[in-house]
Amino acid sequence: MAKLPRRKFLKTIGSAAVATALPSVILGAQSQSASIGLFWEAGFPSIQGCDLTLETLQQALKEFAVTVLNERDLSAQLNTTRFDLLITPYGSAFPKRAWPAMLKYLRDGGNWLNIGGIPLSRPVVRTGTEWRAEPKQATFHKKLGITHSFPVNGHGLKPDENYALYVRLSSSNNEPDEAGSDGPHEGVVRPLMPVFIENRMVAAPVIQVDRLLGEFAGGRWVLANLSRSIESWTITILAQRAAQGATRFEVRSDFASYKPGEVPTLSVELLRPKGDLQKLAIKDCSIEVSNSSDQIVSRLQVPLNAEGAKVIGSVKLPDSVKLAPGLYKVHAKLNAPPRDLTHTSGFWIYDEALLTRGKPLTVDKHFFYRDGRVFPVTGTTYMASDKHRRYLFEPNPLVWDNDFRAMKEAGVNMVRTGIWTGWKKYMPEPGRVDEATLRAFDAFLLTAHKYDIPVIFTFFAFLPETWGGENAYLDPRSVKAQQQFISAFTQRCHRVDDVLWDFINEPSFCSPKYLWNCRPNYDAHEQAAWKQWLRDRYPAATDEEHRSNLQELWRTTDESLDLPKLQDFESVHLIDERLPLKTLDYRLFAQEMFIRWVRAVTPAIRSNGNTKQLITVGQDEAGLGDSPNIQFFSNEIDFTSLHNWWNNDDLLWDSVLAKTPSKLSLMEETGVMFYEKADGGAPWRSEQEVSNLLERKMALSFAADGAGFVEWIWNTNPYMNSTNEVGIGFHRVDGTAKPELEPFLRIAKFMAQHGHHLRDRAAEPVALVIPHSQMFSPRSFAHEATRRAVRALYYYCGVPVQAVSEYTVNEYSGQAKLIVVPSPRVLSEKCWKTLVAEASRGATVAISGPFYEDEHWLSKRHLPNTFVKVVPVAQSEGISIGGRQYLVRYEGEKLQRIEKVVFPHDMPLIVKQGSGFIIWSPLPLELGDSMDALAAFYRLALSQARVTPVFSSFPRTPSVLVLPSVFRDVVLYTFISESNNDRMMAVTHLQSRSRFNVMVPAQRTATVLIDRRTGRVLATDERG
């Protein structure tokens, strides 16, 4: 078929502001004789369709054998006649009565063309002589793996004319016992009529889905997801395309990288799931290999063999071909009338000079540095846009090269990757890592170095692989195998300065049955380690004395040293046979055992001799609780990392509790989890609302004393059996960019231009003690207490804080003017002594509610000249702060769980302690409902400590968070809107008495960089 005039294409598909082009995969399609079943009913509603007539369709399909099917005939014909193609031309609407037959047809590998709208989202039923469309729903198309749909607007596209589909292409797990497992690659999605803006593909009104495996194997679905006029020639092309059936043609090298002098072997494979290879009339396959200058270095013909549904062939490059170090492109063409099939891949010839020229990163307490300059991280997670988690098994360095180029242009300056699943496939036996995998790892690093992008490589996910051991952290067999696995990668990088290592993604401890919870595994290794840990923590002269001490601490008549039972972790009203006090010790034991594991595997990296390579552990929000906790293991690594996913109402809290005093904090993985409305079909957030939320997360990753962020993920992964996974990523499954890429581009550009100013960050004058003794015990309200404390201090008092654990509070000694201890109820004796010492040297300690008992609820302390009684709170409590009365309510379970201190007067007590003060509220204010009372208490403490905000603003509203980050020369003001309205903020920087105005859009962010001394505005990044 001749190429269609570009003018005509633009008139039909494009819009005034958009230019697109028909890709060669369509223009190369040829007419073919095929049988088509065309559904048509007079009067049938076309919903979000293209307003076609039967005459238009028949004209477009005149080269085919067309059978027009009404609703009555559709079911019968689909069950008895083998059509090459089914066409549904009514957009989103389809006959509900025919659904079972349509589903069976598709499961049998039938090809399908849907013209217009969101396919199968509006079932239509006949009522008498009338047609009635049911409400929009995802019920039917979810059966096909089409999970959700969104209108694609903006970029000059007309509203509600183009739609994007989220598609899941795997229905099972390759590794059922692994939480990060992907599944079989059951299909592939290709954009057929993409829309580009500034070299970014922003819409694909027509997509092709080739179903290669699974229940729909063999079918090709061409989905025209648009709602506007469409001409007959377009329908002709789409029908030709769809009728050809699912096909995959690939060329690969046996290794992704070769040592100089090695000769690559190339393989081609054509897959036709239906096995109808004779339809393609395959003739021959040719390959061209070209270098980075596009000079052809070899031409090859590949002999082919048919094997079932596949045609395969391989060929080795001639020994006479000499390949210099660099990236090579392999272009394969299979002559298969009526059209040629092509595929392009690549391989590297190992380039030692390229791999070793990467510039190392260094760290301080707040930022990375490169070349002596602040290096604010604007990164993304990336594996591969074609194979995703299987990228090291099925590598295509040319795909990586294209993606890295796009990432570099977008402002990505760090890429996180690694292995999330299938470790036994990478290392089938301890010490024997697959060589092809290691060659692919080399090629990946070479590609990253070509674009000067540092890489974080992650070894494990959730729990380390055991390789036959009983305990992921404590069995010596498992730990040795883990060391061998890690060393296989790190030993190849002894001269690579800018690779960073992440030991494990979102670790739990330590039962695989209870991921993301801290629960025992009950194996012999854990039992032995537990008993030894108890002996070390609670030393005694004799075993009898040791057991007696534990009996007192745990309040039990049983002197057994066994691990706590699962029931001990339950938060219940009646204790009965449970030992809740034992669980605190187990959680502290878990923290130390994880630290021991990190120490055990660290030499597997350091043994390569390169001390410039940095180490981290990427933990999620469970690491702000009883999973391996960032505040505990931070001293074992070079920088800390948090993955913030769930706490969308407390994003600031995430960042604050993840930041330790001595290490920088990287938001190493951030994105937005997918939510649905109750009908199971409509997304909770629009794509723009997801973009706004992610923008707030990205902005906070710098504003809350962070070193930046790594977004999850550059290309959405459709190859996991998870509807959530196909909703996350900068790019949809069809390769088009989502709206959330836009704020990334802005933030990355701003930081690239102005990040060098962010040097020598001022320490926070306020410390927030995390009450871990309460947090690690049942009936804990510590998360709520710290959340409300953070909100009150930042949003209402305008003061930032440094979080520090109750067990490591001495790390911030001498730095804080004010130390806030939010509703701890119990407090370790070591922590209390440190607080008293800090007050004695001149700090102010603000504490609320009871705290006289230590972590085992044994009374240990009192304040001089005070006599108190502890009783349950009433539903309504009054307190006087600064001469004003406040009413504080306690509701629900808090009436059975929360206690207060009875003072002679219902007001905070101020106790002189050395050169400082202890301010004590009788009520645990962080657990009540009055933010006004809590803010008043903190203002009293701030005034006593002589701590004031660095700014004032009008209006002063908690609906817009104002975060000033103070550096040596500049102040970075970040504004985070939680409001449904735009806000014009007038801000006064108090040090210079200068003022500036900033518009903060609803639900979005704005950034202003000012000179610290003069207040002059240096740069702004206000969102439009």
Side-chain angles (χ1 to χ4, degrees):
M1 178 173 289
K3 291 189 177 181
L4 297 166
R6 180 174 176 83
R7 174 181 52 80
K8 190 171 184 180
F9 171 68
L10 288 174
K11 179 180 178 182
T12 305
I13 301 297
S15 69
V18 181
T20 72
L22 283 170
S24 59
V25 292
I26 293 182
L27 295 176
Q30 301 294 321
S31 300
Q32 64 179 22
S33 177
S35 62
I36 292 180
L38 169 64
F39 170 65
W40 188 266
E41 278 275 11
F44 197 86
S46 179
I47 301 173
Q48 296 171 316
C50 296
D51 296 325
L52 298 169
T53 65
L54 181 58
E55 290 72 23
T56 300
L57 289 167
Q58 289 175 328
Q59 175 63 27
L61 304 174
K62 62 183 180 181
E63 299 175 7
F64 300 88
V66 179
T67 302
V68 179
L69 304 171
N70 61 27
E71 182 199 35
R72 183 180 304 165
D73 296 334
L74 185 58
S75 296
Q77 290 281 357
L78 288 180
N79 285 325
T80 60
T81 306
R82 186 62 185 178
F83 292 109
D84 292 312
L85 177 64
L86 169 66
I87 298 180
T88 48
Y90 292 101
S92 304
F94 70 100
K96 183 177 180 181
R97 181 179 173 185
W99 163 250
M102 294 173 65
L103 180 60
K104 181 180 182 302
Y105 167 81
L106 295 173
R107 282 176 170 166
D108 289 340
N111 302 318
W112 174 37
L113 169 59
N114 188 76
I115 305 174
I118 302 159
L120 303 179
S121 61
R122 296 297 299 272
V124 175
V125 297
R126 188 192 296 272
T127 305
T129 60
E130 301 294 325
W131 295 102
R132 179 177 64 84
E134 294 184 350
K136 178 184 175 182
Q137 55 193 276
T139 310
F140 295 92
H141 61 63
K142 275 189 174 181
K143 292 286 187 181
L144 310 184
I146 301 170
T147 60
H148 297 94
S149 61
F150 293 89
V152 180
N153 301 322
H155 304 292
L157 298 171
K158 294 180 181 179
D160 300 323
E161 281 198 353
N162 302 277
Y163 305 95
L165 303 184
Y166 289 6
V167 185
R168 176 169 49 81
L169 295 169
S170 193
S171 55
S172 61
N173 296 336
N174 288 329
E175 311 294 336
D177 296 330
E178 295 177 3
S181 175
D182 62 351
H185 290 196
E186 297 176 358
V188 63
V189 177
R190 296 184 178 92
L192 294 188
M193 294 183 177
V195 178
F196 288 88
I197 295 291
E198 297 178 354
N199 296 320
R200 294 197 307 276
M201 187 165 57
V202 298
V206 183
I207 63 172
Q208 172 184 307
V209 185
D210 277 18
R211 304 300 310 224
L212 303 170
L213 300 171
E215 61 179 340
F216 303 108
R220 172 174 287 177
W221 306 343
V222 173
L223 309 175
N225 307 310
L226 45 85
S227 178
R228 56 176 180 266
S229 62
I230 185 169
E231 295 187 7
S232 61
W233 59 266
T234 305
I235 297 172
T236 304
I237 293 176
L238 299 183
Q240 290 171 346
R241 190 75 186 168
Q244 292 169 1
T247 303
R248 182 185 67 200
F249 175 60
E250 291 184 326
V251 58
R252 295 178 59 189
S253 53
D254 53 348
F255 286 141
S257 66
Y258 296 88
K259 299 174 183 177
E262 292 182 334
V263 181
T265 297
L266 307 175
S267 302
V268 296
E269 178 186 280
L270 169 66
L271 171 65
R272 290 281 291 179
K274 292 180 182 178
D276 53 351
L277 294 169
Q278 70 282 358
K279 283 189 175 183
L280 296 183
I282 297 168
K283 294 184 177 181
D284 52 45
C285 181
S286 61
I287 291 178
E288 292 182 344
V289 180
S290 55
N291 61 21
S292 57
S293 300
D294 288 330
Q295 295 174 323
I296 296 175
V297 297
S298 184
R299 287 188 174 93
L300 305 163
Q301 291 297 125
V302 185
L304 301 175
N305 296 295
E307 295 183 0
K310 295 181 180 179
V311 172
I312 61 175
S314 65
V315 65
K316 189 174 183 180
L317 266 68
D319 292 339
S320 59
V321 175
K322 304 301 180 184
L323 302 177
L327 176 64
Y328 288 81
K329 180 169 67 174
V330 181
H331 180 75
K333 182 170 68 173
L334 182 67
N335 186 255
R339 65 190 183 92
D340 291 335
L341 299 174
T342 63
H343 185 251
T344 307
S345 65
F347 62 83
W348 276 91
I349 300 298
Y350 193 84
D351 189 338
E352 178 77 9
L354 174 62
L355 202 58
T356 58
R357 76 184 187 197
K359 302 168 185 175
L361 283 82
T362 59
V363 295
D364 64 10
K365 297 178 182 179
H366 307 287
F367 280 108
F368 293 95
Y369 292 81
R370 208 176 192 206
D371 278 340
R373 291 166 61 91
V374 178
F375 187 78
V377 174
T378 53
T380 186
T381 310
Y382 173 78
M383 295 175 195
S385 58
D386 58 345
K387 303 298 183 179
H388 295 273
R389 294 193 177 185
R390 209 177 292 177
Y391 72 112
L392 293 179
F393 280 136
E394 301 179 29
N396 187 339
L398 194 69
V399 168
W400 305 346
D401 187 75
N402 292 333
D403 291 339
F404 267 90
R405 182 185 302 110
M407 289 187 287
K408 185 71 173 182
E409 291 172 355
V412 170
N413 63 8
M414 183 176 287
V415 160
R416 177 174 178 249
T417 192
I419 302 173
W420 264 247
T421 182
W423 298 277
K424 288 182 180 178
K425 292 180 179 178
Y426 293 96
M427 189 172 78
E429 299 175 7
R432 187 172 65 85
V433 177
D434 178 69
E435 178 64 16
T437 293
L438 296 175
R439 297 289 189 99
F441 172 68
D442 293 341
F444 193 93
L445 290 184
L446 284 164
T447 308
H449 278 77
K450 179 181 176 182
Y451 294 96
D452 193 28
I453 296 179
V455 171
I456 301 177
F457 190 83
T458 307
F459 292 108
F460 300 106
F462 314 126
L463 279 177
E465 175 58 57
T466 61
W467 277 282
E470 294 181 316
N471 190 292
Y473 296 106
L474 301 172
D475 189 331
R477 294 173 298 172
S478 299
V479 175
K480 182 178 179 180
Q482 293 156 11
Q483 292 168 333
Q484 292 171 324
F485 181 75
I486 293 171
S487 293
F489 292 89
T490 60
Q491 291 301 321
R492 304 175 84 89
C493 301
H494 62 281
R495 295 185 62 195
V496 182
D497 291 340
D498 59 347
V499 62
L500 301 84
W501 306 106
D502 185 339
F503 280 129
I504 183 168
N505 171 74
E506 301 175 3
S508 297
F509 191 96
C510 74
S511 170
K513 296 179 180 178
Y514 299 95
L515 282 180
W516 304 292
N517 290 283
C518 186
R519 297 294 184 272
N521 194 48
Y522 300 110
D523 60 87
H525 303 280
E526 185 182 24
Q527 185 79 329
W530 165 249
K531 290 179 179 179
Q532 185 60 53
W533 182 84
L534 290 174
R535 293 188 189 98
D536 295 340
R537 182 170 176 80
Y538 304 109
T542 65
D543 288 346
E544 181 179 355
E545 182 181 346
H546 178 59
R547 292 177 180 272
S548 177
N549 289 344
L550 293 177
Q551 183 275 326
E552 178 185 3
L553 296 177
W554 296 341
R555 317 296 201 276
T556 175
T557 59
D558 181 8
E559 298 176 354
S560 169
L561 303 184
D562 288 342
L563 292 157
K565 300 175 182 179
L566 292 177
Q567 66 186 33
D568 295 335
F569 294 87
E570 297 172 352
S571 181
V572 294
H573 295 305
L574 299 176
I575 304 302
D576 291 330
E577 299 300 318
R578 297 173 178 83
L579 299 177
L581 298 181
K582 200 174 188 179
T583 64
L584 168 64
D585 277 319
Y586 180 78
R587 284 166 166 138
L588 293 173
F589 159 79
Q591 302 303 325
E592 291 197 26
M593 292 304 102
F594 183 76
I595 289 171
R596 190 174 91 175
W597 178 79
V598 171
R599 290 172 178 169
V601 294
T602 295
I605 291 176
R606 296 303 183 210
S607 63
N608 74 2
N610 192 327
T611 58
K612 298 175 183 178
Q613 296 171 357
L614 303 176
I615 296 173
T616 192
V617 169
Q619 183 58 290
D620 68 352
E621 289 144 319
L624 307 181
D626 65 354
S627 284
N629 190 288
I630 294 170
Q631 293 284 344
F632 284 79
F633 66 70
S634 64
N635 287 334
E636 308 302 320
I637 54 182
D638 296 309
F639 63 96
T640 65
S641 301
L642 181 71
H643 305 172
N644 66 343
W645 283 104
W646 298 102
N647 296 322
N648 295 327
D649 60 330
D650 278 305
L651 294 173
L652 177 63
W653 176 85
D654 271 1
S655 293
V656 170
L657 263 68
K659 177 69 177 74
T660 65
S662 61
K663 299 294 170 69
L664 72 81
S665 177
L666 174 66
M667 198 58 68
E668 188 199 39
E669 181 180 310
T670 188
V672 179
M673 290 290 181
F674 206 88
Y675 293 81
E676 290 180 330
K677 294 183 180 178
D679 64 3
W684 184 256
R685 295 183 176 93
S686 69
E687 286 191 319
Q688 185 57 55
E689 288 167 338
V690 170
S691 174
N692 294 346
L693 175 54
L694 183 59
E695 178 181 315
R696 300 198 297 272
K697 289 188 175 187
M698 291 187 292
L700 271 169
S701 71
F702 289 107
D705 198 0
F709 62 85
V710 177
E711 175 267 353
W712 179 281
I713 185 168
W714 183 255
N715 300 98
T716 295
N717 181 6
Y719 298 123
M720 294 185 70
N721 187 20
S722 167
T723 298
N724 183 57
E725 288 289 338
V726 302
I728 305 172
F730 275 152
H731 296 86
R732 307 179 187 94
V733 178
D734 61 17
T736 56
K738 294 183 185 176
E740 60 207 69
L741 181 61
E742 297 301 321
F744 171 86
L745 298 172
R746 284 173 172 258
I747 293 173
K749 181 178 180 180
F750 183 89
M751 285 298 168
Q753 292 176 340
H754 307 291
H756 64 279
H757 291 293
L758 309 182
R759 299 189 68 93
D760 301 332
R761 197 182 198 281
E764 313 297 5
V766 180
L768 175 71
V769 175
I770 307 169
H772 275 125
S773 292
Q774 183 196 153
M775 186 178 286
F776 289 173
S777 302
R779 298 187 179 182
S780 171
F781 286 90
H783 282 91
E784 179 178 347
T786 52
R787 279 188 171 106
R788 290 179 64 81
V790 167
R791 184 161 286 272
L793 286 163
Y794 278 85
Y795 287 78
Y796 289 79
C797 300
V799 175
V801 303
Q802 170 65 62
V804 60
S805 171
E806 167 189 346
Y807 287 87
T808 58
V809 68
N810 58 307
E811 290 187 9
Y812 212 59
S813 295
Q815 298 185 62
K817 295 181 179 179
L818 171 64
I819 303 172
V820 174
V821 191
S823 302
R825 188 54 188 91
V826 294
L827 206 58
S828 69
E829 186 66 6
K830 181 179 178 181
C831 176
W832 174 248
K833 289 180 178 179
T834 300
L835 294 174
V836 171
E838 288 296 286
S840 298
R841 67 151 182 90
T844 297
V845 176
I847 191 166
S848 59
F851 65 91
Y852 276 4
E853 287 81 11
D854 70 3
E855 65 269 36
H856 293 290
W857 289 77
L858 297 175
S859 183
K860 292 285 187 178
R861 64 189 73 96
H862 67 280
L863 284 177
N865 304 318
T866 63
F867 177 77
V868 299
K869 179 172 65 172
V870 176
V871 299
V873 295
Q875 287 174 292
S876 295
E877 295 277 0
I879 188 170
S880 176
I881 304 174
R884 178 182 168 186
Q885 287 293 129
Y886 296 90
L887 181 67
V888 183
R889 291 277 298 174
Y890 296 91
E891 299 176 348
E893 287 299 299
K894 291 179 180 179
L895 296 179
Q896 286 76 245
R897 303 291 175 91
I898 304 299
E899 295 168 296
K900 68 172 184 177
V901 181
V902 178
F903 280 4
H905 304 286
D906 292 332
M907 58 190 304
L909 184 68
I910 301 178
V911 179
K912 179 69 173 170
Q913 180 68 44
S915 300
F917 297 89
I918 297 176
I919 302 180
W920 186 14
S921 164
L923 296 178
L925 290 171
E926 290 85 2
L927 302 181
D929 74 339
S930 176
M931 187 60 70
D932 288 341
L934 179 59
F937 176 62
Y938 287 164
R939 290 190 190 103
L940 174 66
L942 288 165
S943 176
Q944 190 72 48
R946 297 183 180 180
V947 176
T948 58
V950 302
F951 74 97
S952 64
S953 65
F954 180 82
R956 190 78 179 106
T957 170
S959 66
V960 176
L961 171 62
V962 183
L963 269 171
S965 301
V966 180
F967 298 91
R968 183 189 64 195
D969 303 317
V970 299
V971 180
L972 180 69
Y973 277 93
T974 305
F975 301 83
I976 313 288
S977 170
E978 295 181 357
S979 172
N980 64 332
N981 297 310
D982 297 346
R983 293 275 186 178
M984 176 62 75
M985 305 289 293
V987 179
T988 300
H989 180 61
L990 297 178
Q991 178 180 348
S992 62
R993 307 306 301 177
S994 60
R995 298 181 181 181
F996 62 87
N997 296 328
V998 59
M999 171 60 72
V1000 187
Q1003 298 286 294
R1004 301 190 68 187
T1005 71
T1007 305
V1008 178
L1009 184 71
I1010 69 168
D1011 184 279
R1012 180 176 177 180
R1013 292 168 181 79
T1014 66
R1016 181 172 63 90
V1017 173
L1018 303 176
T1020 63
D1021 184 30
E1022 299 182 45
R1023 307 297 172 185

